[in-house]
Amino acid sequence: MGIKSDKIWLDGEFVDFADANVHILTHSLHYGLAAFEGIRCYKRDDGRSAVFRLREHVERLRDSCHIGTFPLPWTEDEVIEACLETVRVNKFEDCYIRPLAFLGDGEMGLSAMSNKVRLAIIAWPWGTYLGDDGIKNGIRAKISSFSRHHVNSAMAKGKFTGQYINSILAKREAMADGYQEALMLDTNGFVSEGSGENVFVVYKDKIYTTTYHEAILGGITRDTIITLAKERGYEIVERRMTRDFLYVSDEIFVVGTAAEVTPIREVDRRQIGTGKPGPVTTELQKAYFDVVKGSAEDKHEWLTYV
Ligand code: PMP
């Protein structure tokens, strides 16, 4: 499916979709040091479009650049406004927003200290990432044969393009083997995250998720789900989880901006719970959709109306 929009924000100005090109010597294209975000804008029940947790995404973009030692030459407020303007000029009601900060051309050595930091913001309509059926009935996942990087190898708190090679290999392997998603273990063999999502497990009425201080991206949806679950009286346990804990769990679901809240009905050919989305998953999925696109009150100030 080709992506299409009218205008793309590039280094401070809007250019036509067809003209948003870079030079082949763009440093990030060669070595994979670029930071990006994935953000969703939804049309809510009141008919107005709102971007979900925009400021937190822009803060994480800034943090990624900081970890990657290429500070963003734009303030957070400027990036926020540019994201909103990109949605507006393209007249989108529901869309995905992709800011991408990258090192431009110039030096070709690895350090490339003098190369300009560039920023692109692209928006396009994007439906359910793991499929409408997946959201409703759950997906089949496989424990990947690829490990997540060691915490001192990849900087998992940064959302860097190069780190996604690991995710792509895992995702392609899972799909080639007939699964929809890959769940990844860390270098110690504990569950880290999906190829593009954080993982939650329901076991005997408690909700478990991998500790923030492991090799995982600090997901904004993860944080949202923790908040929504606590408000509904659930106990959240952040800890290391073993692979076989997943097999015996009652429910599993993965969360992310693209994947939203997607139930996992099977892991490595083992049925999870009843094999259908369980009550906790269903309740939290509904709570999530009520906030992002329903009519739930925005009591955490998570929404920025376009
Ligand atoms: N982990 C990985 C590896 C991801 O790519 C994503 C998607 N950005 C997530 C977790 C979930 O993050 P978020 O909820 O902020 O989209």
Side-chain angles (χ1 to χ4, degrees), residues 147-191:
S147 301
R148 258 292 178 247
H149 297 285
H150 184 272
V151 281
N152 201 31
S153 165
M155 300 290 105
K157 296 297 173 279
K159 195 167 163 63
F160 296 115
T161 54
Q163 278 164 198
Y164 278 81
I165 296 168
N166 185 241
S167 285
I168 293 170
L169 293 179
K171 179 84 179 181
R172 288 186 169 183
E173 176 191 60
M175 291 183 75
D177 289 351
Y179 297 89
Q180 284 111 331
E181 189 51 287
L183 300 177
M184 309 198 61
L185 306 180
D186 63 23
T187 45
N188 292 309
F190 293 93
V191 176

Side-chain angles (χ1 to χ4, degrees), residues 66-101:
H66 177 66
I67 295 170
T69 64
F70 59 109
L72 259 188
W74 306 92
T75 66
E76 277 174 28
D77 285 341
E78 284 167 339
V79 179
I80 286 172
E81 189 47 39
C83 288
L84 292 169
E85 209 39 43
T86 306
V87 178
R88 288 183 200 121
V89 297
N90 286 294
K91 301 188 174 62
F92 288 140
E93 293 186 318
D94 279 279
C95 64
Y96 184 84
I97 308 165
R98 163 62 53 82
L100 173 72

Side-chain angles (χ1 to χ4, degrees), residues 31-228:
Y31 307 118
L33 181 64
F36 69 105
E37 274 304 316
I39 311 169
R40 274 196 194 260
C41 170
Y42 291 94
K43 184 176 179 186
R44 300 192 84 230
D45 278 354
D46 63 8
R48 297 161 67 207
S49 293
V51 181
F52 190 61
R53 303 199 70 173
L54 177 56
R55 184 164 292 279
E56 289 90 333
H57 280 283
V58 172
E59 282 170 2
R60 188 171 65 188
L61 180 70
R62 182 209 53 202
D63 288 348
S64 296
C65 293
H66 177 66
I67 295 170
T69 64
F70 59 109
L72 259 188
W74 306 92
T75 66
E76 277 174 28
D77 285 341
E78 284 167 339
V79 179
I80 286 172
E81 189 47 39
C83 288
L84 292 169
E85 209 39 43
T86 306
V87 178
R88 288 183 200 121
V89 297
N90 286 294
K91 301 188 174 62
F92 288 140
E93 293 186 318
D94 279 279
C95 64
Y96 184 84
I97 308 165
R98 163 62 53 82
L100 173 72
F102 60 101
L103 286 187
D105 53 299
E107 289 180 49
M108 280 310 279
L110 287 186
S111 67
M113 303 301 274
S114 67
N115 291 28
K116 192 173 138 193
V117 178
R118 306 187 60 187
L119 179 64
I121 301 173
I122 313 109
W124 67 88
W126 207 2
T128 48
Y129 178 63
L130 293 166
D132 293 342
D133 182 66
I135 287 268
K136 198 163 162 262
N137 299 314
I139 60 164
R140 300 174 60 242
K142 163 193 163 78
I143 300 288
S144 183
S145 73
F146 297 96
S147 301
R148 258 292 178 247
H149 297 285
H150 184 272
V151 281
N152 201 31
S153 165
M155 300 290 105
K157 296 297 173 279
K159 195 167 163 63
F160 296 115
T161 54
Q163 278 164 198
Y164 278 81
I165 296 168
N166 185 241
S167 285
I168 293 170
L169 293 179
K171 179 84 179 181
R172 288 186 169 183
E173 176 191 60
M175 291 183 75
D177 289 351
Y179 297 89
Q180 284 111 331
E181 189 51 287
L183 300 177
M184 309 198 61
L185 306 180
D186 63 23
T187 45
N188 292 309
F190 293 93
V191 176
S192 81
E193 57 186 344
S195 69
E197 309 88 14
N198 293 115
V199 183
F200 284 84
V201 175
V202 183
Y203 181 71
K204 298 193 192 301
D205 300 326
K206 286 187 193 159
I207 302 176
Y208 295 80
T209 194
T210 307
T211 316
Y212 177 84
H213 300 282
E214 298 278 352
I216 63 165
L217 184 71
I220 290 163
T221 320
R222 173 185 182 277
D223 179 73
T224 305
I225 291 297
I226 290 174
T227 305
L228 294 173

